[in-house]
mmCIF file of all heavy atoms in Angstrom:
data_model
loop_
_atom_site.group_PDB
_atom_site.id
_atom_site.type_symbol
_atom_site.label_atom_id
_atom_site.label_comp_id
_atom_site.label_asym_id
_atom_site.label_seq_id
_atom_site.Cartn_x
_atom_site.Cartn_y
_atom_site.Cartn_z
ATOM 1 N N GLU A 1 114.934 90.572 125.714
ATOM 2 C CA GLU A 1 114.648 89.183 126.066
ATOM 3 C C GLU A 1 114.435 88.972 127.562
ATOM 4 O O GLU A 1 114.236 87.840 128.015
ATOM 5 C CB GLU A 1 115.763 88.274 125.539
ATOM 6 C CG GLU A 1 115.847 88.288 124.021
ATOM 7 C CD GLU A 1 116.853 87.296 123.468
ATOM 8 O OE1 GLU A 1 116.683 86.085 123.721
ATOM 9 O OE2 GLU A 1 117.805 87.734 122.798
ATOM 10 N N GLN A 2 114.455 90.052 128.342
ATOM 11 C CA GLN A 2 114.144 89.939 129.775
ATOM 12 C C GLN A 2 112.694 89.499 129.991
ATOM 13 O O GLN A 2 112.364 88.904 131.012
ATOM 14 C CB GLN A 2 114.374 91.291 130.465
ATOM 15 C CG GLN A 2 115.841 91.677 130.562
ATOM 16 C CD GLN A 2 116.029 93.114 131.016
ATOM 17 O OE1 GLN A 2 115.052 93.861 131.180
ATOM 18 N NE2 GLN A 2 117.274 93.516 131.213
ATOM 19 N N LEU A 3 111.844 89.795 129.011
ATOM 20 C CA LEU A 3 110.425 89.417 129.092
ATOM 21 C C LEU A 3 110.084 88.474 127.938
ATOM 22 O O LEU A 3 110.718 88.515 126.878
ATOM 23 C CB LEU A 3 109.529 90.654 129.003
ATOM 24 C CG LEU A 3 109.756 91.759 130.036
ATOM 25 C CD1 LEU A 3 108.821 92.946 129.760
ATOM 26 C CD2 LEU A 3 109.521 91.239 131.459
ATOM 27 N N LEU A 4 109.056 87.649 128.135
ATOM 28 C CA LEU A 4 108.533 86.812 127.053
ATOM 29 C C LEU A 4 107.414 87.599 126.361
ATOM 30 O O LEU A 4 106.418 87.935 127.013
ATOM 31 C CB LEU A 4 107.989 85.491 127.609
ATOM 32 C CG LEU A 4 109.020 84.592 128.292
ATOM 33 C CD1 LEU A 4 108.342 83.394 128.955
ATOM 34 C CD2 LEU A 4 110.075 84.119 127.289
ATOM 35 N N PRO A 5 107.556 87.905 125.066
ATOM 36 C CA PRO A 5 106.604 88.818 124.400
ATOM 37 C C PRO A 5 105.284 88.139 124.024
ATOM 38 O O PRO A 5 104.848 88.177 122.877
ATOM 39 C CB PRO A 5 107.385 89.276 123.169
ATOM 40 C CG PRO A 5 108.292 88.126 122.859
ATOM 41 C CD PRO A 5 108.654 87.508 124.179
ATOM 42 N N VAL A 6 104.659 87.527 125.012
ATOM 43 C CA VAL A 6 103.458 86.730 124.719
ATOM 44 C C VAL A 6 102.228 87.596 124.439
ATOM 45 O O VAL A 6 101.285 87.141 123.784
ATOM 46 C CB VAL A 6 103.154 85.733 125.861
ATOM 47 C CG1 VAL A 6 104.281 84.719 126.014
ATOM 48 C CG2 VAL A 6 102.913 86.450 127.175
ATOM 49 N N TYR A 7 102.238 88.843 124.915
ATOM 50 C CA TYR A 7 101.091 89.729 124.658
ATOM 51 C C TYR A 7 101.390 90.796 123.610
ATOM 52 O O TYR A 7 100.473 91.347 123.000
ATOM 53 C CB TYR A 7 100.638 90.412 125.959
ATOM 54 C CG TYR A 7 100.030 89.434 126.945
ATOM 55 C CD1 TYR A 7 100.600 89.229 128.194
ATOM 56 C CD2 TYR A 7 98.883 88.707 126.605
ATOM 57 C CE1 TYR A 7 100.048 88.323 129.097
ATOM 58 C CE2 TYR A 7 98.326 87.798 127.493
ATOM 59 C CZ TYR A 7 98.914 87.613 128.748
ATOM 60 O OH TYR A 7 98.363 86.720 129.633
ATOM 61 N N SER A 8 102.662 91.078 123.382
ATOM 62 C CA SER A 8 103.017 92.131 122.415
ATOM 63 C C SER A 8 103.218 91.587 120.998
ATOM 64 O O SER A 8 103.367 92.351 120.050
ATOM 65 C CB SER A 8 104.285 92.860 122.863
ATOM 66 O OG SER A 8 105.317 91.937 123.149
ATOM 67 N N THR A 9 103.236 90.246 120.845
ATOM 68 C CA THR A 9 103.417 89.634 119.518
ATOM 69 C C THR A 9 102.542 88.389 119.381
ATOM 70 O O THR A 9 101.985 87.894 120.364
ATOM 71 C CB THR A 9 104.890 89.185 119.287
ATOM 72 O OG1 THR A 9 105.198 88.137 120.208
ATOM 73 C CG2 THR A 9 105.873 90.333 119.487
ATOM 74 N N ASP A 10 102.445 87.895 118.128
ATOM 75 C CA ASP A 10 101.826 86.603 117.810
ATOM 76 C C ASP A 10 100.425 86.446 118.402
ATOM 77 O O ASP A 10 100.093 85.411 118.975
ATOM 78 C CB ASP A 10 102.745 85.459 118.287
ATOM 79 C CG ASP A 10 102.326 84.112 117.709
ATOM 80 O OD1 ASP A 10 101.856 84.080 116.562
ATOM 81 O OD2 ASP A 10 102.464 83.090 118.415
ATOM 82 N N GLN A 11 99.602 87.476 118.224
ATOM 83 C CA GLN A 11 98.218 87.396 118.690
ATOM 84 C C GLN A 11 97.348 86.697 117.639
ATOM 85 O O GLN A 11 97.625 86.788 116.437
ATOM 86 C CB GLN A 11 97.680 88.802 118.972
ATOM 87 C CG GLN A 11 98.440 89.528 120.086
ATOM 88 C CD GLN A 11 98.429 88.749 121.400
ATOM 89 O OE1 GLN A 11 97.395 88.587 122.029
ATOM 90 N NE2 GLN A 11 99.590 88.244 121.792
ATOM 91 N N PRO A 12 96.311 85.978 118.070
ATOM 92 C CA PRO A 12 95.506 85.185 117.117
ATOM 93 C C PRO A 12 94.972 86.009 115.945
ATOM 94 O O PRO A 12 94.915 85.526 114.808
ATOM 95 C CB PRO A 12 94.350 84.657 117.983
ATOM 96 C CG PRO A 12 94.836 84.728 119.393
ATOM 97 C CD PRO A 12 95.844 85.836 119.459
ATOM 98 N N GLU A 13 94.622 87.271 116.208
ATOM 99 C CA GLU A 13 94.001 88.094 115.157
ATOM 100 C C GLU A 13 94.961 88.431 114.019
ATOM 101 O O GLU A 13 94.534 88.884 112.955
ATOM 102 C CB GLU A 13 93.448 89.397 115.742
ATOM 103 C CG GLU A 13 92.420 89.210 116.842
ATOM 104 C CD GLU A 13 93.026 89.239 118.248
ATOM 105 O OE1 GLU A 13 94.177 88.777 118.419
ATOM 106 O OE2 GLU A 13 92.348 89.732 119.161
ATOM 107 N N VAL A 14 96.259 88.211 114.233
ATOM 108 C CA VAL A 14 97.224 88.544 113.173
ATOM 109 C C VAL A 14 96.944 87.723 111.915
ATOM 110 O O VAL A 14 97.191 88.173 110.786
ATOM 111 C CB VAL A 14 98.678 88.345 113.655
ATOM 112 C CG1 VAL A 14 99.045 86.870 113.758
ATOM 113 C CG2 VAL A 14 99.659 89.058 112.720
ATOM 114 N N HIS A 15 96.402 86.528 112.098
ATOM 115 C CA HIS A 15 96.166 85.657 110.939
ATOM 116 C C HIS A 15 95.070 86.199 110.023
ATOM 117 O O HIS A 15 95.068 85.942 108.822
ATOM 118 C CB HIS A 15 95.861 84.237 111.416
ATOM 119 C CG HIS A 15 97.005 83.649 112.195
ATOM 120 N ND1 HIS A 15 98.206 83.321 111.606
ATOM 121 C CD2 HIS A 15 97.156 83.390 113.525
ATOM 122 C CE1 HIS A 15 99.044 82.871 112.536
ATOM 123 N NE2 HIS A 15 98.427 82.904 113.697
ATOM 124 N N GLU A 16 94.157 86.992 110.592
ATOM 125 C CA GLU A 16 93.141 87.650 109.761
ATOM 126 C C GLU A 16 93.796 88.704 108.862
ATOM 127 O O GLU A 16 93.400 88.896 107.710
ATOM 128 C CB GLU A 16 92.074 88.301 110.645
ATOM 129 C CG GLU A 16 91.287 87.312 111.488
ATOM 130 C CD GLU A 16 90.508 87.994 112.620
ATOM 131 O OE1 GLU A 16 90.204 89.203 112.484
ATOM 132 O OE2 GLU A 16 90.217 87.315 113.624
ATOM 133 N N ILE A 17 94.815 89.383 109.390
ATOM 134 C CA ILE A 17 95.540 90.390 108.612
ATOM 135 C C ILE A 17 96.337 89.708 107.496
ATOM 136 O O ILE A 17 96.335 90.158 106.344
ATOM 137 C CB ILE A 17 96.492 91.199 109.516
ATOM 138 C CG1 ILE A 17 95.735 91.832 110.685
ATOM 139 C CG2 ILE A 17 97.249 92.240 108.705
ATOM 140 C CD1 ILE A 17 94.651 92.794 110.275
ATOM 141 N N VAL A 18 97.015 88.617 107.831
ATOM 142 C CA VAL A 18 97.814 87.899 106.834
ATOM 143 C C VAL A 18 96.902 87.388 105.715
ATOM 144 O O VAL A 18 97.258 87.455 104.522
ATOM 145 C CB VAL A 18 98.600 86.740 107.485
ATOM 146 C CG1 VAL A 18 99.386 85.966 106.439
ATOM 147 C CG2 VAL A 18 99.537 87.277 108.566
ATOM 148 N N LEU A 19 95.715 86.909 106.082
ATOM 149 C CA LEU A 19 94.747 86.448 105.083
ATOM 150 C C LEU A 19 94.374 87.587 104.125
ATOM 151 O O LEU A 19 94.303 87.394 102.909
ATOM 152 C CB LEU A 19 93.489 85.910 105.781
ATOM 153 C CG LEU A 19 92.298 85.564 104.873
ATOM 154 C CD1 LEU A 19 92.663 84.456 103.884
ATOM 155 C CD2 LEU A 19 91.082 85.143 105.705
ATOM 156 N N LYS A 20 94.159 88.795 104.670
ATOM 157 C CA LYS A 20 93.800 89.935 103.811
ATOM 158 C C LYS A 20 94.948 90.284 102.861
ATOM 159 O O LYS A 20 94.723 90.611 101.690
ATOM 160 C CB LYS A 20 93.424 91.151 104.674
ATOM 161 C CG LYS A 20 92.091 90.972 105.382
ATOM 162 C CD LYS A 20 91.727 92.171 106.233
ATOM 163 C CE LYS A 20 90.369 91.927 106.890
ATOM 164 N NZ LYS A 20 89.918 93.056 107.720
ATOM 165 N N MET A 21 96.183 90.204 103.366
ATOM 166 C CA MET A 21 97.339 90.445 102.499
ATOM 167 C C MET A 21 97.389 89.396 101.388
ATOM 168 O O MET A 21 97.615 89.722 100.216
ATOM 169 C CB MET A 21 98.627 90.392 103.318
ATOM 170 C CG MET A 21 98.808 91.554 104.262
ATOM 171 S SD MET A 21 100.380 91.400 105.142
ATOM 172 C CE MET A 21 100.612 93.120 105.656
ATOM 173 N N ARG A 22 97.170 88.158 101.769
ATOM 174 C CA ARG A 22 97.202 87.062 100.795
ATOM 175 C C ARG A 22 96.114 87.249 99.739
ATOM 176 O O ARG A 22 96.334 86.999 98.534
ATOM 177 C CB ARG A 22 97.043 85.731 101.526
ATOM 178 C CG ARG A 22 96.880 84.518 100.652
ATOM 179 C CD ARG A 22 98.115 84.207 99.798
ATOM 180 N NE ARG A 22 97.853 83.007 99.009
ATOM 181 C CZ ARG A 22 98.092 81.767 99.431
ATOM 182 N NH1 ARG A 22 98.651 81.562 100.622
ATOM 183 N NH2 ARG A 22 97.803 80.740 98.671
ATOM 184 N N GLN A 23 94.937 87.721 100.159
ATOM 185 C CA GLN A 23 93.848 87.934 99.199
ATOM 186 C C GLN A 23 94.218 88.995 98.164
ATOM 187 O O GLN A 23 93.871 88.877 96.989
ATOM 188 C CB GLN A 23 92.560 88.313 99.940
ATOM 189 C CG GLN A 23 91.939 87.117 100.660
ATOM 190 C CD GLN A 23 90.840 87.505 101.644
ATOM 191 O OE1 GLN A 23 90.747 88.661 102.081
ATOM 192 N NE2 GLN A 23 90.004 86.542 102.010
ATOM 193 N N VAL A 24 94.959 90.016 98.608
ATOM 194 C CA VAL A 24 95.427 91.032 97.655
ATOM 195 C C VAL A 24 96.374 90.384 96.644
ATOM 196 O O VAL A 24 96.235 90.587 95.431
ATOM 197 C CB VAL A 24 96.125 92.205 98.386
ATOM 198 C CG1 VAL A 24 96.839 93.115 97.394
ATOM 199 C CG2 VAL A 24 95.117 93.003 99.203
ATOM 200 N N LEU A 25 97.331 89.597 97.127
ATOM 201 C CA LEU A 25 98.268 88.948 96.206
ATOM 202 C C LEU A 25 97.558 87.985 95.266
ATOM 203 O O LEU A 25 97.899 87.902 94.088
ATOM 204 C CB LEU A 25 99.371 88.221 96.988
ATOM 205 C CG LEU A 25 100.524 89.157 97.339
ATOM 206 C CD1 LEU A 25 100.461 89.574 98.777
ATOM 207 C CD2 LEU A 25 101.860 88.535 97.021
ATOM 208 N N ASP A 26 96.560 87.281 95.798
ATOM 209 C CA ASP A 26 95.849 86.298 94.974
ATOM 210 C C ASP A 26 94.983 86.955 93.902
ATOM 211 O O ASP A 26 94.547 86.294 92.950
ATOM 212 C CB ASP A 26 94.985 85.381 95.855
ATOM 213 C CG ASP A 26 95.821 84.352 96.600
ATOM 214 O OD1 ASP A 26 97.032 84.234 96.300
ATOM 215 O OD2 ASP A 26 95.272 83.671 97.493
ATOM 216 N N SER A 27 94.728 88.255 94.038
ATOM 217 C CA SER A 27 93.966 88.959 92.998
ATOM 218 C C SER A 27 94.866 89.313 91.808
ATOM 219 O O SER A 27 94.396 89.838 90.797
ATOM 220 C CB SER A 27 93.300 90.216 93.573
ATOM 221 O OG SER A 27 94.270 91.184 93.921
ATOM 222 N N TYR A 28 96.167 89.049 91.945
ATOM 223 C CA TYR A 28 97.126 89.166 90.843
ATOM 224 C C TYR A 28 97.589 87.757 90.478
ATOM 225 O O TYR A 28 97.273 86.801 91.171
ATOM 226 C CB TYR A 28 98.325 90.026 91.269
ATOM 227 C CG TYR A 28 97.982 91.476 91.544
ATOM 228 C CD1 TYR A 28 97.350 91.845 92.729
ATOM 229 C CD2 TYR A 28 98.276 92.469 90.619
ATOM 230 C CE1 TYR A 28 97.033 93.174 92.985
ATOM 231 C CE2 TYR A 28 97.961 93.802 90.868
ATOM 232 C CZ TYR A 28 97.335 94.152 92.051
ATOM 233 O OH TYR A 28 97.018 95.466 92.300
ATOM 234 N N THR A 29 98.354 87.650 89.414
ATOM 235 C CA THR A 29 98.784 86.317 88.950
ATOM 236 C C THR A 29 100.121 85.935 89.554
ATOM 237 O O THR A 29 101.099 86.675 89.420
ATOM 238 C CB THR A 29 98.904 86.310 87.405
ATOM 239 O OG1 THR A 29 97.665 86.770 86.865
ATOM 240 C CG2 THR A 29 99.192 84.902 86.890
ATOM 241 N N ASN A 30 100.142 84.802 90.267
ATOM 242 C CA ASN A 30 101.400 84.152 90.607
ATOM 243 C C ASN A 30 102.346 85.027 91.427
ATOM 244 O O ASN A 30 103.524 85.148 91.109
ATOM 245 C CB ASN A 30 102.080 83.727 89.300
ATOM 246 C CG ASN A 30 102.790 82.390 89.447
ATOM 247 O OD1 ASN A 30 102.831 81.823 90.537
ATOM 248 N ND2 ASN A 30 103.363 81.906 88.371
ATOM 249 N N ARG A 31 101.828 85.656 92.488
ATOM 250 C CA ARG A 31 102.665 86.502 93.349
ATOM 251 C C ARG A 31 102.923 85.777 94.676
ATOM 252 O O ARG A 31 102.169 84.894 95.087
ATOM 253 C CB ARG A 31 102.001 87.856 93.608
ATOM 254 C CG ARG A 31 101.535 88.577 92.333
ATOM 255 C CD ARG A 31 102.661 88.977 91.388
ATOM 256 N NE ARG A 31 102.163 89.443 90.102
ATOM 257 C CZ ARG A 31 101.986 90.721 89.790
ATOM 258 N NH1 ARG A 31 102.270 91.673 90.664
ATOM 259 N NH2 ARG A 31 101.529 91.056 88.597
ATOM 260 N N LEU A 32 103.982 86.215 95.362
ATOM 261 C CA LEU A 32 104.504 85.485 96.530
ATOM 262 C C LEU A 32 104.420 86.335 97.794
ATOM 263 O O LEU A 32 104.777 87.519 97.787
ATOM 264 C CB LEU A 32 105.967 85.104 96.268
ATOM 265 C CG LEU A 32 106.787 84.544 97.437
ATOM 266 C CD1 LEU A 32 106.216 83.206 97.907
ATOM 267 C CD2 LEU A 32 108.245 84.375 97.020
ATOM 268 N N LEU A 33 103.990 85.710 98.902
ATOM 269 C CA LEU A 33 103.953 86.365 100.207
ATOM 270 C C LEU A 33 104.860 85.596 101.171
ATOM 271 O O LEU A 33 104.609 84.436 101.498
ATOM 272 C CB LEU A 33 102.520 86.404 100.763
ATOM 273 C CG LEU A 33 102.313 87.166 102.077
ATOM 274 C CD1 LEU A 33 102.641 88.653 101.911
ATOM 275 C CD2 LEU A 33 100.877 86.997 102.582
ATOM 276 N N ILE A 34 105.948 86.267 101.601
ATOM 277 C CA ILE A 34 106.882 85.699 102.573
ATOM 278 C C ILE A 34 106.682 86.443 103.891
ATOM 279 O O ILE A 34 106.515 87.668 103.893
ATOM 280 C CB ILE A 34 108.352 85.889 102.118
ATOM 281 C CG1 ILE A 34 108.600 85.238 100.759
ATOM 282 C CG2 ILE A 34 109.318 85.331 103.152
ATOM 283 C CD1 ILE A 34 109.967 85.554 100.164
ATOM 284 N N GLY A 35 106.721 85.742 105.005
ATOM 285 C CA GLY A 35 106.598 86.391 106.304
ATOM 286 C C GLY A 35 107.866 86.237 107.123
ATOM 287 O O GLY A 35 108.398 85.123 107.240
ATOM 288 N N GLU A 36 108.366 87.355 107.664
ATOM 289 C CA GLU A 36 109.470 87.258 108.628
ATOM 290 C C GLU A 36 108.869 86.970 109.989
ATOM 291 O O GLU A 36 108.117 87.784 110.540
ATOM 292 C CB GLU A 36 110.270 88.561 108.692
ATOM 293 C CG GLU A 36 111.446 88.434 109.661
ATOM 294 C CD GLU A 36 111.974 89.761 110.201
ATOM 295 O OE1 GLU A 36 111.227 90.759 110.215
ATOM 296 O OE2 GLU A 36 113.138 89.786 110.646
ATOM 297 N N ILE A 37 109.194 85.804 110.538
ATOM 298 C CA ILE A 37 108.587 85.360 111.790
ATOM 299 C C ILE A 37 109.623 84.587 112.595
ATOM 300 O O ILE A 37 110.061 83.511 112.175
ATOM 301 C CB ILE A 37 107.357 84.438 111.524
ATOM 302 C CG1 ILE A 37 106.306 85.165 110.662
ATOM 303 C CG2 ILE A 37 106.737 83.974 112.830
ATOM 304 C CD1 ILE A 37 105.553 84.265 109.732
ATOM 305 N N TYR A 38 110.045 85.147 113.721
ATOM 306 C CA TYR A 38 110.953 84.433 114.623
ATOM 307 C C TYR A 38 110.121 83.806 115.732
ATOM 308 O O TYR A 38 109.841 84.431 116.752
ATOM 309 C CB TYR A 38 111.989 85.391 115.204
ATOM 310 C CG TYR A 38 113.102 85.763 114.248
ATOM 311 C CD1 TYR A 38 113.006 86.889 113.442
ATOM 312 C CD2 TYR A 38 114.259 84.995 114.155
ATOM 313 C CE1 TYR A 38 114.027 87.239 112.562
ATOM 314 C CE2 TYR A 38 115.285 85.326 113.276
ATOM 315 C CZ TYR A 38 115.157 86.449 112.493
ATOM 316 O OH TYR A 38 116.167 86.789 111.621
ATOM 317 N N LEU A 39 109.670 82.581 115.499
ATOM 318 C CA LEU A 39 108.853 81.864 116.476
ATOM 319 C C LEU A 39 109.231 80.384 116.441
ATOM 320 O O LEU A 39 109.735 79.890 115.432
ATOM 321 C CB LEU A 39 107.360 81.997 116.137
ATOM 322 C CG LEU A 39 106.672 83.334 116.421
ATOM 323 C CD1 LEU A 39 105.249 83.297 115.880
ATOM 324 C CD2 LEU A 39 106.661 83.663 117.904
ATOM 325 N N PRO A 40 108.960 79.660 117.545
ATOM 326 C CA PRO A 40 109.142 78.202 117.498
ATOM 327 C C PRO A 40 108.310 77.600 116.366
ATOM 328 O O PRO A 40 107.257 78.143 115.999
ATOM 329 C CB PRO A 40 108.620 77.742 118.870
ATOM 330 C CG PRO A 40 108.726 78.949 119.754
ATOM 331 C CD PRO A 40 108.490 80.133 118.862
ATOM 332 N N ILE A 41 108.785 76.466 115.848
ATOM 333 C CA ILE A 41 108.190 75.885 114.644
ATOM 334 C C ILE A 41 106.685 75.654 114.774
ATOM 335 O O ILE A 41 105.922 75.921 113.852
ATOM 336 C CB ILE A 41 108.906 74.560 114.288
ATOM 337 C CG1 ILE A 41 110.324 74.866 113.795
ATOM 338 C CG2 ILE A 41 108.157 73.793 113.230
ATOM 339 C CD1 ILE A 41 110.384 75.757 112.567
ATOM 340 N N HIS A 42 106.241 75.168 115.939
ATOM 341 C CA HIS A 42 104.815 74.851 116.055
ATOM 342 C C HIS A 42 103.953 76.111 115.977
ATOM 343 O O HIS A 42 102.781 76.052 115.592
ATOM 344 C CB HIS A 42 104.525 74.066 117.344
ATOM 345 C CG HIS A 42 104.786 74.824 118.603
ATOM 346 N ND1 HIS A 42 106.055 74.980 119.121
ATOM 347 C CD2 HIS A 42 103.953 75.496 119.450
ATOM 348 C CE1 HIS A 42 105.986 75.699 120.232
ATOM 349 N NE2 HIS A 42 104.735 76.025 120.446
ATOM 350 N N GLN A 43 104.522 77.285 116.332
ATOM 351 C CA GLN A 43 103.796 78.547 116.160
ATOM 352 C C GLN A 43 103.994 79.105 114.758
ATOM 353 O O GLN A 43 103.080 79.684 114.172
ATOM 354 C CB GLN A 43 104.273 79.578 117.194
ATOM 355 C CG GLN A 43 103.834 79.275 118.624
ATOM 356 C CD GLN A 43 104.600 80.114 119.639
ATOM 357 O OE1 GLN A 43 105.641 79.712 120.143
ATOM 358 N NE2 GLN A 43 104.093 81.293 119.924
#
């Protein structure tokens, strides 16, 4: 926590990866995708 991980985490492109994961789940019936994310609520 000596540094703010603004470049090593939470990059905009991560949402493209999450979308691809979600598309895999959506190709099956009624499956759930949970994300572990320690970020302020607005992020």
Side-chain angles (χ1 to χ4, degrees):
E1 296 186 60
Q2 290 170 355
L3 303 177
L4 297 173
V6 297
Y7 292 118
S8 51
T9 65
D10 193 34
Q11 297 303 293
E13 302 94 326
V14 74
H15 299 291
E16 297 165 24
I17 305 299
V18 178
L19 172 62
K20 289 180 179 181
M21 290 181 160
R22 173 65 179 272
Q23 287 168 341
V24 169
L25 274 103
D26 285 351
S27 68
Y28 294 77
T29 306
N30 217 356
R31 309 296 170 97
L32 170 64
L33 185 63
I34 301 172
E36 182 202 23
I37 302 147
Y38 283 92
L39 285 174
I41 290 300
H42 65 280
Q43 289 166 269

